[in-house]
Amino acid sequence: MDEFLSDIYVSVFRRWMVLQGTDLGLVESEDKISLETDNIESYITFNDNNIIELCVYNKVKENTEFYLHFQMNNLKHAVNLFQEMKATIDEISTKPYINVILCCSGGLTTSYFAQKINETVELLDLNIHVSAVGYHNLYKIKDDYDIVLLAPQISYELAQTKALLKNKIVKEIPASVFATYNVHTILDIIEDSMNEHQNDGNNHHKEHIAFQRNTEIKETVLCLSIYNNNQHNYINYRVYNHRIKLEKEIVKNTISLNDIYSVIDICILDYPEIKKIAISIPGIVDNGNVLSTFVENGNCHLKDILEDKYKIQAIISNDVNSAALGYYASQNQYDSFCFLFQPIGIDAGLGTVIDGKLITGNSYLAGEVKFLPLDFSQPKEKLYVTPQGILEVVYKLILTIICIISPTVIVLYCDLIDDPQVVEDKLKENFHGHIDNYHIDIIKIDNLQQYILLGLFNLCIDDSTN
């Protein structure tokens, strides 16, 4: 876009935002527009080259709910992004500061207790809201809550719940408190729990996984990963040139092709020497043609679109296949393995590497395990949201993989399985009496995105050597 027009658009966009933000209480300064309340810190920053940053930070949950940056090229797109930001602010503002969930086996015995607590909260004018849920639904809605309180009858689930909800406050309700519906003690437990959480000095930094195999590449490349987790959509990206030159993350409620363009525009502006763009995306990716993805207008021949728009070589890959290649590049011990990603609530994906080569199959359908006609005890949608249900799904998927490929190693990413030994034990039970010396290693990883980005870089290297 002509720089003069871009400057005008930024000026018009800024004036429009200030007018739209009157009800929000936005404050304008020289280089940014900001908003701060008891539970929100938000800003719109205007940078060089007409690059604009939008951010919404949840002060109570201590995490970024919305973040992106883009170069002003299209006024309508900029307005849409601000509307998304405003929707995020509205959603946080209408929620109580502290969301608490009382959990029992079915949700009935805690419903009355939750009602009594909310009545007292209203009288005391506290910023707390309490809900009740059965344990089988807890993991499906876990991201809506800050504190999880388990009723005494399911206290045996405490250790597992803490292990699986590492970023949540999880506590057991004392039997004497639960039996007498002691509201004031529960409120004390909630207050003490939040104080402990705010005083916790543990900083959780992103893990950077190093390459263990050949990484020589002379070109500058952009690697971009699109994924969904915890009810948010993310774009993670890196610019590589012998080392990581840039690494950032975008957080939005929805992801569109325009968001991908914005990332590429900014990266090319700062690194005009970029020669390749590698993108991972959920769904079937057949020679650059993308199907079955959650990206808005994303079912398209993305490779051709990007190469025509930017005149730069584009490499498009499935997300789990990229993760499998990333794991291969991160270690020297295994040249053959299967990489299984089982998310909460949706179907799994599989990436298979044999003798250092990714197996994609006819029409790139290898790894689309959602099409397997497996027999489950319940509909998959119900199994996907509980630890016991996920265990059944993962066990049967791995059992199927073993019967077809029989790998020595399965790499597993699954938030609802804390100990992979549980899966190994079930497999041993299945083969007992048939193959008594059977053994498979299940390696659990905790950072999917690092492997995906590594895998995308590995694709750039392989492409350069072909």
Side-chain angles (χ1 to χ4, degrees):
M1 169 178 278
D2 182 271
E3 187 175 347
F4 176 71
L5 285 177
S6 183
D7 289 342
I8 292 175
Y9 282 174
V10 169
S11 179
V12 170
F13 182 53
R14 180 168 183 155
R15 288 295 93 212
W16 179 84
M17 279 191 294
V18 171
L19 292 174
Q20 295 296 312
T22 302
D23 294 338
L24 288 173
L26 294 177
V27 177
E28 184 178 16
S29 61
E30 182 177 350
D31 62 342
K32 69 178 179 179
I33 299 171
S34 59
L35 165 71
E36 185 164 4
T37 67
D38 289 339
N39 58 338
I40 293 173
E41 185 176 333
S42 180
Y43 62 82
I44 303 143
T45 305
F46 300 88
N47 304 297
D48 295 337
N49 300 310
N50 292 326
I51 293 176
I52 301 171
E53 282 184 278
L54 308 181
C55 179
V56 179
Y57 180 77
N58 189 324
K59 291 159 67 174
V60 176
K61 292 188 175 182
E62 299 180 344
N63 69 291
T64 299
E65 300 281 354
F66 183 97
Y67 176 82
L68 61 88
H69 53 280
F70 65 99
Q71 187 179 33
M72 174 59 77
N73 289 317
N74 183 304
L75 189 56
K76 181 179 179 181
H77 177 54
V79 169
N80 289 338
L81 293 177
F82 177 79
Q83 296 289 15
E84 285 189 56
M85 176 184 180
K86 185 175 181 297
T88 301
I89 292 173
D90 290 342
E91 182 181 1
I92 298 172
S93 299
T94 56
K95 288 183 178 179
Y97 293 179
I98 303 173
N99 279 299
V100 181
I101 191 77
L102 303 185
C103 185
C104 63
S105 55
L108 294 177
T109 57
T110 49
S111 295
Y112 177 72
F113 200 2
Q115 179 185 339
K116 287 296 182 184
I117 297 170
N118 286 328
E119 289 173 359
T120 303
V121 163
E122 187 174 355
L123 287 172
L124 297 176
D125 194 25
L126 302 176
N127 294 313
I128 296 171
H129 181 74
V130 182
S131 302
V133 70
Y135 187 75
H136 60 285
N137 283 324
L138 173 63
Y139 296 94
K140 184 177 181 180
I141 61 172
K142 64 184 177 60
D143 296 304
D144 295 333
Y145 297 93
D146 307 297
I147 300 176
V148 177
L149 299 178
L150 300 184
Q153 60 263 43
I154 58 167
S155 59
Y156 59 89
E157 300 283 10
L158 181 63
Q160 175 179 251
T161 307
K162 279 187 173 181
L164 295 175
L165 303 182
K166 295 182 178 67
N167 297 322
K168 301 291 181 181
I169 300 170
V170 181
K171 293 199 171 184
E172 175 190 355
I173 303 174
S176 59
V177 174
F178 191 81
T180 58
Y181 295 125
N182 191 328
V183 171
H184 292 288
T185 300
I186 281 290
L187 291 177
D188 288 341
I189 291 173
I190 292 170
E191 182 181 1
D192 291 343
S193 298
M194 290 304 298
N195 290 335
E196 290 173 12
H197 178 68
Q198 291 170 359
N199 292 330
D200 185 359
N202 294 327
N203 295 316
H204 301 286
H205 299 288
K206 287 185 178 179
E207 175 189 3
H208 279 86
I209 301 167
F211 283 99
Q212 297 297 325
R213 299 181 189 260
N214 179 30
T215 59
E216 291 186 10
I217 185 170
K218 297 179 181 179
E219 300 167 319
T220 302
V221 299
L222 167 62
C223 298
L224 187 153
S225 167
I226 300 167
Y227 72 109
N228 176 276
N229 192 31
N230 295 334
Q231 300 179 338
H232 287 87
N233 294 308
Y234 297 84
I235 298 179
N236 275 62
Y237 61 96
R238 287 176 179 171
V239 174
Y240 287 95
N241 184 347
H242 304 295
R243 61 184 179 84
I244 299 173
K245 302 285 289 184
L246 173 72
E247 180 172 18
K248 286 198 174 183
E249 179 179 77
I250 285 174
V251 187
K252 291 176 82 261
N253 290 328
T254 60
I255 298 291
S256 69
L257 286 179
N258 281 326
D259 295 313
I260 298 174
Y261 299 154
S262 293
V263 171
I264 297 173
D265 289 341
I266 291 175
C267 290
I268 290 177
L269 181 68
D270 291 335
Y271 301 92
E273 69 274 18
I274 289 174
K275 299 298 182 185
K276 292 178 183 176
I277 302 168
I279 297 178
S280 74
I281 194 165
I284 300 171
V285 180
D286 185 352
N287 288 312
N289 188 40
V290 180
L291 301 171
S292 306
T293 176
F294 63 85
V295 175
E296 291 182 4
N297 302 316
N299 287 358
C300 60
H301 206 293
L302 187 57
K303 175 180 172 66
D304 287 352
I305 290 174
L306 295 179
E307 290 184 343
D308 181 63
K309 181 177 176 66
Y310 294 102
K311 312 304 178 188
I312 296 175
Q313 182 182 353
I315 300 168
I316 315 298
S317 174
N318 168 268
D319 55 345
V320 187
N321 282 342
S322 300
L325 287 173
Y327 183 79
Y328 171 77
S330 73
Q331 48 79 44
N332 288 313
Q333 187 175 0
Y334 306 111
D335 289 332
S336 300
F337 57 87
C338 290
F339 190 113
L340 179 63
F341 170 36
Q342 175 60 70
I344 300 173
I346 56 177
D347 293 311
L350 181 75
T352 300
V353 173
I354 303 294
D355 294 331
K357 301 295 183 182
L358 180 69
I359 306 301
T360 55
N362 181 28
S363 298
Y364 288 77
L365 280 173
E368 295 295 325
V369 293
K370 65 183 177 183
F371 296 120
L372 287 170
L374 299 179
D375 184 26
F376 293 111
S377 62
Q378 300 180 67
K380 289 191 294 184
E381 293 73 21
K382 290 186 176 181
L383 297 175
Y384 285 159
V385 295
T386 68
Q388 292 79 8
I390 285 277
L391 176 61
E392 178 185 341
V393 173
V394 168
Y395 160 69
K396 290 184 176 179
L397 286 175
I398 292 178
L399 185 58
T400 304
I401 295 165
I402 290 170
C403 293
I404 297 171
I405 302 175
S406 192
T408 56
V409 175
I410 296 281
V411 183
L412 175 65
Y413 180 81
C414 179
D415 286 337
L416 289 191
I417 293 180
D418 181 55
D419 184 4
Q421 186 62 48
V422 177
V423 185
E424 290 186 27
D425 291 344
K426 283 183 69 66
L427 292 169
K428 288 178 182 177
E429 290 176 11
N430 182 81
F431 289 110
H432 181 68
H434 301 280
I435 312 174
D436 289 337
N437 62 346
Y438 178 79
H439 178 74
I440 186 171
D441 288 326
I442 299 179
I443 300 171
K444 187 175 184 296
I445 64 163
D446 296 316
N447 196 327
L448 180 68
Q449 285 311 300
Q450 298 294 319
Y451 290 105
I452 290 178
L453 291 169
L454 240 61
L456 289 173
F457 184 64
N458 204 53
L459 283 171
C460 294
I461 296 171
D462 288 347
D463 188 76
S464 296
T465 58
N466 288 337

